[in-house]
C-alpha cells in the first residue's frame, strides 16, 4: 500500500462525503441504500421499481444497461434505450441513478443520463478506463475485482483519484473462493479494513456476493453492522423473471422490508437512513 497517496487516511478521523445529488450523500452519518434490478428491462419495470422503492425509501436506484456477461450469447443490456429509461425515471422520481460503464467509448453517453458511473468487478483493473473516469465530474462506484487483493482495490481507486476525480465509492461485492454454495465470499473483513485505512466511502453489494436471494438480507444487515456506508441490492418486480441474476434478486416488498430492518442496525452503529430525500415522486413530469 506504500504507493497509495490519495486514497489513504492522513488521520484516523478523515472521511470523504460524496454527493450523488443535492440531497443524497454517502460517507457521512447517513447511509446510502441503493436498490434496483441487475438490468434495465423496460420503462414499466423501472417505474414499478422506482414507485415501490420510494416507500422504503432507497436513496438511489441501480440498473445495468451495458452488462458484462460471462456468455456472449446472454442478454447484453438495453444500451442507449436503457439509458433513456433511467433518465426519465431519475427526473420523474427525483432519484439519482447508478449504472455501469464498461468502456471508454460509453462514458459520454452514460454521463448524459446517470448520476453515478459504476465500474464493474471485471473492469477493476482496466487502467485506461480508470484513467478516463478520473476526468469525469461524477461519482464512481468502483467494484472490487473478482480476485483482487485489498491493496489492488485501493490502487485501482488511486488511478481514478490521481487522474482528478476525488469522488470514488468503494464497493465490496464478494471474492472468488473454492466454495460453490455461494456465488462469491462476502469479505466483510475487507470492509472493516478499508474503513480503517481509506477515507473513501465503502458500500457493500450482498447480491453478487451471495448469488442466492435468501442470503441477501442478512448479509446486508451484517454489512451495516460492521461499518459499511451503505448497501446496493438487486431487486425486481418479478424476481424469477429477471433477465439477468434472477436467482439473487429480492422482490420489491422484500427490499422495502430490508430497508425497514436496517434502521435499527443503523441506529446501533450511530448511522441513519434518510426518510425523505431520494425518491419523492413528482407530480409535474418532465
Ligand atoms: C452488477 O452490479 O450488475 C454487476 C455486474 O456486478 P459485478 O461487476 O460486481 O459482478
Ligand atoms: Mn447483477
Amino acid at each position: 500500500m506504500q504507493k497509495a497517496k490519495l486514497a489513504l487516511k492522513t488521520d484516523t478521523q478523515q472521511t470523504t462525503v460524496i454527493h450523488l445529488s443535492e440531497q443524497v450523500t454517502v460517507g457521512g452519518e447517513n447511509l446510502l441504500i441503493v436498490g434496483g434490478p441487475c438490468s434495465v428491462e423496460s420503462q414499466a419495470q423501472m417505474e414499478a421499481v422506482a414507485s415501490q422503492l420510494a416507500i422504503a425509501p432507497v436513496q438511489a436506484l441501480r440498473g445495468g444497461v451495458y452488462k458484462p456477461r460471462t456468455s456472449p450469447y446472454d442478454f447484453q443490456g438495453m444500451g442507449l434505450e436503457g439509458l433513456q429509461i433511467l433518465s426519465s425515471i431519475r427526473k420523474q422520481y427525483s432519484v439519482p441513478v447508478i449504472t455501469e460503464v464498461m468502456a471508454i467509448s460509453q462514458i459520454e453517453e452514460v454521463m448524459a443520463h446517470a448520476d453515478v458511473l459504476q465500474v464493474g468487478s471485471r473492469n477493476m483493473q482496466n487502467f485506461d478506463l480508470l484513467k478516463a473516469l478520473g476526468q469525469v465530474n461524477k461519482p464512481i462506484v468502483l467494484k472490487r475485482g473478482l480476485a483482487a487483493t485489498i491493496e489492488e482495490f485501493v490502487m485501482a481507486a488511486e488511478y481514478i483519484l490521481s487522474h482528478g476525480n476525488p469522488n470514488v465509492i468503494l464497493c465490496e461485492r464478494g471474492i472468488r473462493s473454492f466454495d460453490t454454495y455461494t456465488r462469491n465470499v462476502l469479505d466483510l473483513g475487507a470492509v472493516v479494513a478499508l474503513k480503517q485505512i481509506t477515507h473513501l466511502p465503502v458500500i457493500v453489494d450482498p447480491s453478487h456476493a451471495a448469488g442466492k436471494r435468501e442470503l441477501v438480507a442478512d448479509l446486508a444487515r451484517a454489512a451495516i453492522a460492521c461499518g459499511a456506508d451503505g448497501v446496493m441490492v438487486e431487486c425486481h418486480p418479478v424476481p424469477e423473471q429477471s433477465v439477468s441474476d434472477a436467482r439473487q434478486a429480492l422482490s420489491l416488498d422484500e427490499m422495502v422490508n430490508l430497508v425497514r430492518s436496517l434502521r435499527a442496525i443503523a441506529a446501533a452503529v450511530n448511522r441513519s437512513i434518510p426518510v425523505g430525500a431520494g425518491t419523492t415522486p413528482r407530480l409535474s413530469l418532465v
Side-chain angles (χ1 to χ4, degrees), residues 13 33 53 65 75 77 83 113-114 167 253 273:
Q13 300 304 309
I33 313 297
L53 296 192
V65 303
F75 177 66
L83 284 176
H113 296 92
N167 297 315
D253 279 349
I273 300 174

Side-chain angles (χ1 to χ4, degrees), residues 117-229:
L117 280 53
Q118 174 174 316
V119 177
S121 280
R122 291 155 190 80
N123 266 323
M124 190 205 79
Q125 285 188 317
N126 181 338
F127 298 116
D128 283 344
L129 179 62
L130 300 179
K131 287 181 198 172
L133 291 171
Q135 284 161 34
V136 312
N137 62 355
K138 291 202 174 181
I140 309 297
V141 167
L142 177 65
K143 299 191 86 175
R144 184 178 181 182
L146 306 178
T149 64
I150 292 173
E151 178 157 8
E152 287 163 343
F153 191 17
V154 170
M155 293 313 290
E158 192 81 15
Y159 263 91
I160 303 172
L161 299 170
S162 64
H163 282 78
N165 186 347
N167 297 315
V168 178
I169 303 160
L170 301 173
C171 180
E172 159 61 33
R173 47 77 73 201
I175 47 174
R176 277 266 165 95
S177 184
F178 55 87
D179 197 336
T180 52
Y181 185 82
T182 56
R183 187 174 179 183
N184 290 289
V185 175
L186 183 61
D187 187 2
L188 291 182
V191 174
V192 176
L194 288 164
K195 287 296 296 174
Q196 284 177 10
I197 62 176
T198 88
H199 55 84
L200 300 171
V202 180
I203 65 170
V204 168
D205 169 354
S207 305
H208 291 86
K212 292 180 172 171
R213 69 175 60 82
E214 62 272 25
L215 303 179
V216 169
D218 280 325
L219 292 177
R221 287 186 280 266
I224 297 306
C226 82
D229 294 297

Side-chain angles (χ1 to χ4, degrees), residues 32-38 46 49-50 53 57-63 86 95-98 207 231-236 252 255 258-259 279:
L32 174 70
I33 313 297
V34 185
C38 182
M46 288 308 295
V49 168
L53 296 192
V58 298
Q59 286 71 56
L61 296 178
R62 62 149 289 145
L86 284 176
V95 61
V97 297
I98 303 176
S207 305
V231 289
M232 178 159 71
V233 176
E234 287 189 346
C235 49
H236 190 283
L252 299 176
M255 184 67 194
L258 168 59
V259 178
T279 55

Side-chain angles (χ1 to χ4, degrees), residues 264-278:
I265 297 172
V269 290
N270 297 319
R271 309 296 287 272
S272 43
I273 300 174
V275 284

